[in-house]
Amino acid sequence: MSLSIQDVLKNKGIEVKQAHLNVLEARWENMKALRADLKHANIDDADIGVRNIPGGDHIE
């Protein structure tokens, strides 16, 4: 069972105004959707490295 943002915040002792709860709930659902997309990500494609070569900006 998935926890709602209200339950998560309540468990942490954080009280939120009802007016803000709708915005937080929408953002929470968006974050959960983004996390679900990561389950299918190919890690090898996302693994990049950046190298700094001093003075190397003129090398082609």
Side-chain angles (χ1 to χ4, degrees):
M1 183 174 120
S2 172
L3 290 176
S4 72
I5 188 63
Q6 185 176 14
D7 294 334
V8 171
L9 293 174
K10 189 175 183 180
N11 289 340
K12 293 184 178 196
I14 301 171
E15 293 188 24
V16 179
K17 295 179 183 178
Q18 187 63 34
H20 296 153
L21 195 56
N22 293 334
V23 174
L24 291 174
E25 192 69 39
R27 290 183 182 182
W28 182 254
E29 292 301 321
N30 288 336
M31 284 191 295
K32 287 195 312 188
L34 289 172
R35 286 182 183 158
D37 286 344
L38 290 176
K39 291 179 183 176
H40 304 294
N42 185 352
I43 299 298
D44 291 336
D45 290 344
D47 187 18
I48 63 169
V50 178
R51 296 187 326 164
N52 180 21
I53 302 172
D57 57 346
H58 65 280
I59 299 173
E60 290 186 21

